[in-house]
Amino acid sequence: MQMDLDNIKEKTISFVKKTLEGAEAGHDWFHIERVYKTALSINAKEGGDLLIVTLAALLHDIADSKFNNGDEEIGPRIAGGFLKTINIADELILQVQQIIKNLSYKASLGKIEFSSKELDIVQDADRLDAIGAIGIARAFTYGGFKNRVLYDPEIQPDLNMSKEAYKNSTAPTINHFYEKLLRLKDLMKTGAGKELAAQRHEFMLLYLDHFYAEWEGLN
């Protein structure tokens, strides 16, 4: 089994690296690699199916809908097509596709009809990469990619956005902390995820304190 898993993993990594060449820096291969490593670490404590966790973590952002005209089916579709080429069983492919489809924060703003231990593990790993030092870097990288302003005191965060409003938001990057990032700590599903999220959450709060002080010329 180990030889099979190693072979499957290497083929999947090769496919993901090739597919994500030139991707936006917050959603590139290095993001995938971080999520994959974190998912393995969480899985070692949570005991999910290693093959499913591996495939879902490596393929979770193979075609993010926000870079594909909002198409939420393209990621699961591309992942499923690839997995068929390496002869993954249909029932495993379906589980991986369901994880990809239900993983994102915006998916949680709509109706969720799928749950599994493996989803919890990969979702926590992905959300951990959205907070803390790297999460801050990724937020401003994406904001720059979309040419958003850093902060506008006149534009208040929208704390009650629908899924569609979230998808179409053009708010300043600082607003994203309140609309998503600072909420992730309380959305973690696994024990390991909760522990790591608490540390990263505190770092973001400290960062915001410094940001506002510097904005006002106080530091």
Side-chain angles (χ1 to χ4, degrees):
M1 175 61 186
Q2 186 60 42
M3 289 294 291
D4 289 343
L5 178 59
D6 287 343
N7 189 36
I8 289 168
K9 180 181 70 174
E10 292 309 313
K11 287 181 178 179
T12 305
I13 288 173
S14 178
F15 171 73
V16 172
K17 283 184 174 180
K18 182 176 181 180
T19 303
L20 294 182
E21 283 181 4
E24 184 267 336
H27 298 80
D28 59 3
W29 161 250
F30 293 114
H31 163 64
I32 302 297
E33 184 177 42
R34 291 191 303 270
V35 170
Y36 168 61
K37 289 178 178 178
T38 302
L40 291 186
S41 178
I42 294 174
N43 190 60
K45 299 177 181 179
E46 299 294 327
D49 184 288
L50 181 57
L51 177 58
I52 294 173
V53 168
T54 295
L55 292 175
L58 290 173
L59 293 166
H60 80 277
D61 261 350
I62 197 63
D64 192 306
S65 63
K66 61 178 162 285
F67 301 112
N68 290 278
N69 300 313
D71 184 352
E72 296 180 18
E73 299 297 329
I74 188 171
R77 185 167 65 248
I78 290 175
F82 163 72
L83 293 175
K84 285 183 182 295
T85 69
I86 59 171
N87 300 312
I88 300 298
D90 288 345
E91 61 268 23
L92 294 182
I93 293 176
L94 181 60
Q95 290 189 61
V96 171
Q97 288 178 310
Q98 287 290 346
I99 291 172
I100 295 170
K101 185 175 182 179
N102 291 282
L103 188 75
S104 70
Y105 178 74
K106 66 178 177 292
S108 70
L109 299 176
K111 188 176 182 181
I112 301 295
E113 298 180 337
F114 174 81
S115 63
S116 72
K117 179 183 289 188
E118 291 74 25
L119 169 59
D120 291 347
I121 291 166
V122 180
Q123 188 175 62
D124 276 10
D126 186 45
R127 288 176 171 176
L128 283 164
D129 206 56
I131 59 178
I134 286 177
I136 292 170
R138 291 182 67 217
F140 285 106
T141 295
Y142 184 72
F145 178 79
K146 301 295 285 187
N147 198 32
R148 295 181 180 177
V149 298
L150 297 178
Y151 173 53
D152 184 341
E154 299 299 317
I155 303 176
Q156 294 299 306
D158 182 351
L159 303 182
N160 295 291
M161 280 193 287
S162 66
K163 182 179 179 181
E164 285 305 309
Y166 179 83
K167 287 171 63 176
N168 296 318
S169 175
T170 59
T173 298
I174 284 294
N175 289 31
H176 190 59
F177 283 75
Y178 302 95
E179 293 166 351
K180 175 186 176 181
L181 306 188
L182 292 173
R183 296 179 165 190
L184 294 180
K185 173 178 71 72
D186 294 329
L187 296 177
M188 294 291 161
K189 306 286 182 58
T190 68
K194 291 175 182 178
E195 184 175 341
L196 290 169
Q199 300 169 24
R200 299 187 188 197
H201 182 87
E202 289 302 314
F203 183 85
M204 291 193 297
L205 293 177
L206 179 62
Y207 171 81
L208 288 170
D209 286 343
H210 279 267
F211 182 94
Y212 293 126
E214 292 178 17
W215 186 271
E216 298 297 335
L218 300 177
N219 276 2

